[in-house]
């Protein structure tokens, strides 16, 4: 691999020499900046790729820490307000999807009480809370912007494993064969998303439950 890069570098130097001797214009600044974003030149003649840029990985402009960590949602999308311009959306669109703008925790008291009991029995590696995702992975594996307006929010109850397939904190002192293993489960549900400035319903992937083998 090093020999190939060495050969390519020598060829590049050869062509640059030809350009200079034939009085052809040198590459402009934009071209040179583009090359610098792809290759990095170290000491000597070593040329190596610095890796794939964020532009290639996240060209849909939905960027967040959760996505980079491999999760199916973004709590906060960079430049969310600029990307959605929710302040310009017709109020009738919000009214059309009014049923979606609520929190999952708004539930009958008996169910809420049962959830509190269940939560007390769960390992400390399992966390249950309500999130307001601004970005989410769709059923066809594309990233979408979720409608989260100041007065129209979609609160989603999720249960997540803090550590997948590893010992829980409660069992960390037990022999390895007795340590619990956790598996993250997901489900698909409808949320209101924004596509080309228009609200619509889409099935999206979100964490549902965390199963730990005790």
């Amino acid at each position: 691999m090093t020999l190939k890069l060495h050969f390519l570098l020598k060829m590049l130097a050869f062509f640059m020499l030809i350009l200079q001797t034939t009085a052809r214009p040198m590459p402009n600044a934009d071209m040179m900046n583009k090359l610098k974003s792809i290759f990095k030149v170290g000491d000597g003649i070593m040329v190596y790729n610095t890796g794939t840029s964020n532009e290639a990985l996240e060209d849909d402009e939905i960027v967040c820490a959760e996505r980079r960590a491999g999760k199916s949602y973004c709590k906060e999308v960079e430049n969310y307000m600029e990307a959605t311009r929710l302040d310009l959306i017709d109020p009738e669109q919000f009214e059309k999807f009014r049923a979606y703008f609520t929190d999952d925790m708004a539930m009958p008291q008996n169910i809420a009480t049962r959830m509190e009991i269940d939560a007390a029995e769960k390992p400390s590696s399992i966390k249950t809370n309500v999130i307001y995702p601004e970005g989410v992975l769709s059923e066809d594996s594309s990233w979408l912007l979720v409608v989260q307006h100041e007065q129209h929010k979609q609160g989603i109850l999720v249960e997540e494993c803090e550590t997948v397939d590893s010992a829980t904190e409660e069992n960390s002192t037990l022999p390895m064969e007795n340590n619990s293993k956790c598996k993250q489960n997901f489900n698909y549900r409808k949320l209101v998303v924004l596509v080309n400035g228009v609200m619509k319903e889409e099935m999206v992937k979100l964490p549902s439950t965390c199963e730990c083998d005790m």
Side-chain angles (χ1 to χ4, degrees), residues 33-103:
N33 290 334
K34 187 65 175 180
L35 288 173
K36 289 179 181 179
S37 68
I38 301 174
F39 295 98
K40 181 178 180 181
V41 180
D43 295 334
I45 59 173
M46 180 63 71
V47 177
Y48 50 93
N49 196 308
T50 60
T52 307
S53 66
N54 283 338
E55 289 182 353
L57 290 175
E58 299 167 345
D59 55 1
D60 51 20
E61 298 182 357
I62 298 181
V63 182
C64 70
E66 291 81 15
R67 179 176 179 179
R68 295 190 182 103
K71 295 190 176 184
S72 65
Y73 65 87
C74 289
K75 285 185 177 179
E76 294 184 4
V77 173
E78 297 177 14
N79 300 319
Y80 176 77
M81 293 307 299
E82 291 81 356
T84 59
R85 295 309 309 268
L86 292 178
D87 55 321
L88 301 179
I89 299 295
D90 188 334
E92 291 184 0
Q93 287 200 53
F94 289 102
E95 184 63 24
K96 179 180 178 181
F97 298 101
R98 180 174 55 179
Y100 286 90
F101 300 120
T102 184
D103 289 358

Side-chain angles (χ1 to χ4, degrees), residues 106-123:
M107 57 184 68
Q109 183 62 36
N110 61 332
I111 298 178
T113 302
R114 186 168 68 248
M115 286 184 60
E116 291 176 359
I117 296 175
D118 291 343
E121 297 175 351
K122 291 178 182 177

